[in-house]
Amino acid sequence: MCTDAGCSHASLPRVNIKQTHGDAVTVEESNDKLVLCPQCDWMVKLPDIKQGDKAVCPRCHTTLSALWVEPVLQPVSCAISALIMLVFANLFPFINMQVSGIYNQIKLMEIPEAMMSDDYASLATLFIIFIQLIPAFCMVAIILLCLKVRLPYRLKVIMGRIIYLAKVWCMVEIFLVGVLVSFVKLMAYGDIGIGPSFVPYCLFCLLQVRAFQCLDRYWLWQTIQPAPELPHTPQVGLSGMEQGLRSCSCCMAILPIDEHQCPRCHTVGYARRRNSLQWTLALLVTSIMLYIPANILPIMVTEVLGNPMASNIISGVIILWEDGSYPVSLVIFIASIMVPTLKIMAIGWLCYDASGAGKLGNKLDREKMHYLYEVVEFVGRWSMIDVFVIGVLSALVRMGRLMSIYPDVGAVLFAMVVILTMIAAMMFDPRLLWDRKKMINQ
């Protein structure tokens, strides 16, 4: 399933897979034509996909496989270009600001340095990991795997696993939106300009998103190693659980339900994530406990002419609205207040429904709940905009007693809320929603 802006297949035509009704169909073909949907556990026979097409699950509409035109050249060329742009983006000044004749400019790597100097090493670490290290590693891994560079098999497996575990944590495009929001906030105080590395960074953002978009998980793992043989002939139109089969959460291989370690990617897994609801609820409760002080405590301190003024998320939205920056105020309000609140409520609702406590519904209700899960996975990471805005402001606005901005403890708490809710959504097993569908049919 696509979790972020970098893996969407919306531009490809869809190849519909007919869903079996009534008796299941026995498939005598090879294992590489069969896929267990990782989102609803439905056994599907893949059609012959032409270049430029994608195949989706007939039950939950999750993209199972896509074949892009030039499936090797596109992701490799985009990844190489992205790495080149990332190097240029770090070599030169990124943005600059001039207030009352005082001029200041920063490079990308000076943003975490400023956070470190303010004793906020945690925020600096998040910036380096989410904005620099993870995207760079994923681009290198895409190049090596797609070009089939001779590497130890174990190393290929590690890179393949990390790509799909880490891509949700690539927040380059979110940081770029945060920079644009920072521009609007600072225009009231002085002149804002872009440096030579700003355009390369924008290109890096677009290219890394495109590289992820053109990389199909099913195709990639088939090139690393074919899927293991099935213990028995599966049936299309039944769930894997009903046939004693499960899907590997990493490489999509179909495995016996009692085989806990995948022989292809060595990922340990089960028919359903163990204690999925318990872990999800525990993370959700923890995020709620942090969310209250994150909204009350100040997230940054603005010092003007030696007078410090602390502000939290809500006061920041109000100030922007009163200054007439209505679009930016709405963006911050939606991303930092509305999205986390609705996400916490949505995850709680999903857990309630999947636990069997909710009222049983029809297939349409299951589809709606699954759609809710996909929305939760996609939008949650965008709440990091406010954290990145604070990082940019605290690094750029360093003009002594005239004007300076510093992060505060609320920013750390809010970042933890976003991270915990993201992990909670990842720990939730969406197949539990479709297990409820089986209960309806019984």
Side-chain angles (χ1 to χ4, degrees):
M1 184 195 66
C2 294
T3 61
D4 61 316
C7 60
S8 172
H9 294 300
S11 59
L12 290 181
R14 191 169 99 175
V15 177
N16 290 317
I17 304 174
K18 294 182 179 179
Q19 184 172 358
T20 304
H21 298 280
D23 297 334
V25 177
T26 301
V27 178
E28 299 293 347
E29 297 190 26
S30 61
N31 180 18
D32 60 359
K33 289 291 184 180
L34 297 173
V35 173
L36 258 180
C37 178
Q39 300 299 316
C40 69
D41 200 38
W42 198 248
M43 183 67 71
V44 174
K45 175 189 173 185
L46 289 180
D48 292 328
I49 305 175
K50 299 178 181 179
Q51 284 193 348
D53 290 342
K54 68 174 182 177
V56 300
C57 174
R59 184 157 75 158
C60 69
H61 310 297
T62 297
T63 298
L64 299 176
S65 181
L67 185 58
W68 292 84
V69 178
E70 300 292 345
V72 175
L73 181 61
Q74 281 205 63
V76 169
S77 59
C78 289
I80 292 175
S81 302
L83 288 175
I84 294 173
M85 292 299 105
L86 181 61
V87 172
F88 286 143
N90 280 279
L91 289 178
F92 306 104
F94 186 58
I95 52 178
N96 56 70
M97 181 179 182
Q98 185 172 357
V99 180
S100 300
I102 301 178
Y103 180 81
N104 188 29
Q105 65 180 12
I106 60 170
K107 296 182 179 179
L108 271 177
M109 287 310 298
E110 290 177 349
I111 297 177
E113 288 177 7
M115 297 179 185
M116 293 283 287
S117 65
D118 293 328
D119 296 326
Y120 280 94
S122 56
L123 291 178
T125 302
L126 293 179
F127 178 88
I128 294 173
I129 292 175
F130 294 160
I131 308 302
Q132 300 270 11
L133 294 183
I134 291 180
F137 175 85
C138 289
M139 293 302 101
V140 172
I142 288 174
I143 295 169
L144 296 177
L145 292 178
C146 288
L147 292 180
K148 299 182 180 179
V149 177
R150 295 190 64 179
L151 297 169
Y153 178 74
R154 186 69 180 179
L155 181 58
K156 289 184 178 180
V157 167
I158 292 174
M159 289 192 296
R161 290 176 62 179
I162 292 179
I163 285 178
Y164 291 101
L165 287 174
K167 69 178 181 179
V168 70
W169 302 103
C170 290
M171 299 187 181
V172 179
E173 64 274 23
I174 302 174
F175 171 73
L176 186 58
V177 174
V179 172
L180 299 178
V181 171
S182 303
F183 284 177
V184 178
K185 280 190 171 185
L186 293 174
M187 286 173 61
Y189 299 101
D191 298 326
I192 307 299
I194 60 174
S197 70
F198 184 80
V199 173
Y201 189 82
C202 293
L203 293 175
F204 164 67
C205 175
L206 295 174
L207 288 167
Q208 66 95 25
V209 168
R210 183 62 178 174
F212 278 124
Q213 184 183 39
C214 296
L215 186 68
D216 180 59
R217 179 186 300 199
Y218 180 82
W219 171 85
L220 178 65
W221 280 104
Q222 288 294 101
T223 60
I224 293 177
Q225 181 172 299
E229 293 295 326
L230 293 176
H232 57 79
T233 302
Q235 293 180 307
V236 175
L238 292 176
S239 70
M241 180 80 80
E242 293 175 293
Q243 305 182 64
L245 300 172
R246 71 174 184 90
S247 174
C248 175
S249 60
C250 179
C251 70
M252 299 177 67
I254 303 176
L255 306 170
I257 207 168
D258 56 354
E259 187 173 351
H260 300 313
Q261 185 175 53
C262 176
R264 177 161 66 174
C265 67
H266 311 301
T267 300
V268 176
Y270 301 87
R272 300 292 182 266
R273 292 193 186 112
R274 301 187 72 181
N275 303 317
S276 170
L277 296 181
Q278 291 88 335
W279 274 106
T280 303
L281 287 172
L283 292 167
L284 190 64
V285 171
T286 306
S287 64
I288 293 173
M289 295 171 62
L290 294 176
Y291 186 57
I292 297 174
N295 281 276
I296 297 176
L297 296 175
I299 59 172
M300 70 178 183
V301 176
T302 304
E303 185 177 325
V304 180
L305 299 177
N307 298 317
M309 181 181 65
S311 61
N312 55 28
I313 297 174
I314 299 175
S315 64
V317 172
I318 295 174
I319 291 173
L320 285 170
W321 185 270
E322 291 176 345
D323 290 342
S325 302
Y326 304 122
V328 179
S329 178
L330 287 175
V331 168
I332 297 298
F333 175 77
I334 292 172
S336 301
I337 298 177
M338 184 180 294
V339 168
T341 303
L342 293 179
K343 183 176 181 180
I344 289 172
M345 295 171 61
I347 294 175
W349 187 13
L350 288 169
C351 291
Y352 176 78
D353 186 86
S355 67
K359 182 180 178 180
L360 290 176
N362 53 28
K363 181 177 181 293
L364 183 60
D365 293 331
R366 299 301 100 203
E367 291 177 351
K368 290 180 179 178
M369 295 302 295
H370 185 83
Y371 179 73
L372 176 63
Y373 167 76
E374 290 183 321
V375 172
V376 165
E377 268 207 323
F378 175 76
V379 302
R381 56 204 293 271
W382 284 90
S383 297
M384 287 292 288
I385 287 179
D386 219 13
V387 177
F388 293 141
V389 168
I390 295 169
V392 174
L393 294 178
S394 62
L396 183 60
V397 186
R398 292 295 177 99
M399 300 179 180
R401 295 181 65 84
L402 176 63
M403 186 179 182
S404 297
I405 295 178
Y406 308 97
D408 212 335
V409 64
V412 179
L413 295 176
F414 186 77
M416 291 302 300
V417 170
V418 177
I419 292 172
L420 286 173
T421 52
M422 289 177 64
I423 299 175
M426 295 168 62
M427 293 300 298
F428 180 79
D429 194 335
R431 293 170 294 187
L432 297 174
L433 300 172
W434 295 96
D435 290 343
R436 295 268 287 155
K437 172 66 168 51
K438 180 183 175 182
M439 293 169 60
I440 295 170
N441 294 333
Q442 287 178 345

